[in-house]
Amino acid sequence: QVHLVESGGGLVQTGGSLRLSCAASGVLFKINTNHWYRQAPGNQRELVATLTRDGSAMYANAVKDRFTISRDNFKNTMYLQMSSLKPEDTGVYYCTAETPYGGSGSMEYWGKGTLVTVSS
């Protein structure tokens, strides 16, 4: 089992920056992949960024070149550095951790989310 707690959300003006944190505890050595998702009011949840065990990062087109996903293994914490924020970045941001499950499946653990509001 993996327990995740996000923090760092808040209100920021357009063009500003925020760093989200995701503190992890539990069976951390099993984690293969971490993700950040977001959900804007009235919209479906969308994948924002992915970080694999070997350190490969991938981003949604909407945030590429503005957001950076990273991980500090000593602190058991994952980050999402967000810059040049836009009002459309507003939403609840969730971190997740994927571990193997069963023979070939996976289990994805979710935090409760942190709210980011970008004012215009």
Side-chain angles (χ1 to χ4, degrees):
Q1 186 118 9
V2 176
H3 184 58
L4 303 170
V5 179
E6 302 95 335
S7 62
L11 175 64
V12 63
Q13 290 186 332
T14 296
S17 299
L18 275 177
R19 189 178 78 160
L20 305 183
S21 299
C22 173
S25 60
V27 189
L28 303 182
F29 70 91
K30 289 189 173 182
I31 295 175
N32 284 335
T33 309
N34 290 105
H35 307 282
W36 283 99
Y37 292 82
R38 69 184 180 190
Q39 187 166 19
N43 287 3
Q44 288 188 330
R45 195 172 293 174
E46 62 175 336
L47 178 62
V48 173
T50 295
L51 184 64
T52 62
R53 179 190 283 271
D54 65 2
S56 298
M58 290 161 279
Y59 301 93
N61 287 335
V63 306
K64 203 171 292 186
D65 300 324
R66 297 190 297 122
F67 289 12
T68 302
I69 187 172
S70 62
R71 182 173 52 228
D72 186 331
N73 291 325
F74 292 102
K75 295 183 178 180
N76 295 329
T77 302
M78 182 176 65
Y79 302 98
L80 186 68
Q81 178 67 48
M82 307 184 294
S83 59
S84 302
L85 283 163
K86 306 174 182 180
E88 51 263 44
D89 294 319
T90 294
V92 178
Y93 283 70
Y94 301 88
C95 66
T96 78
E98 276 191 57
T99 65
Y101 182 79
S104 59
S106 65
M107 176 78 76
E108 190 164 19
Y109 297 91
W110 291 75
K112 294 184 182 294
T114 185
L115 177 62
V116 172
T117 303
V118 184
S119 64
S120 56

